[in-house]
Amino acid sequence: MKQTILHVKGMSCGHCVDSVEGALKRIGAKGTVDLEAGTVQVAYDEDRVTLEQVKEAIEDQGYDVA
C-alpha cells in the first residue's frame, strides 16, 4: 500500500470529511481527513489506483488539491 498526504483546500465541515472519504472509498482508496491541517492522508494500492485518480476523486467533490 502506498501512502501519501495531500493538501486540500476548501474543506471545512463534517460534510466535507464524508464527501472526500466517501469518494476515495468508491475508487478503492482509504482517506483520512484532518480539517485543521487541511490535509487528507491517503492509502491506496498502486496496482489498482493511481495518484492522479486519487486527486481527481477529491477534485470531483469540489475541492482543490494543492
Side-chain angles (χ1 to χ4, degrees), residues 2 4 8 10 16 19-20 25 28 33 39 43 50 54 56-57 62 66:
K2 171 86 174 173
T4 190
V8 179
C16 300
S19 179
V20 170
K25 185 176 182 179
V33 173
T39 61
T50 66
V54 168
E56 285 178 14

Side-chain angles (χ1 to χ4, degrees), residues 14-58:
H15 172 74
C16 300
V17 172
D18 292 343
S19 179
V20 170
E21 291 180 357
L24 293 172
K25 185 176 182 179
R26 285 190 293 279
I27 65 166
K30 180 177 180 353
T32 305
V33 173
D34 183 336
L35 287 177
E36 268 191 46
T39 61
V40 181
Q41 182 173 348
V42 185
Y44 60 98
D45 181 348
E46 289 181 292
D47 293 332
R48 298 178 52 214
V49 180
T50 66
L51 181 57
E52 190 60 37
Q53 288 172 309
V54 168
K55 290 178 180 180
E56 285 178 14
I58 295 170

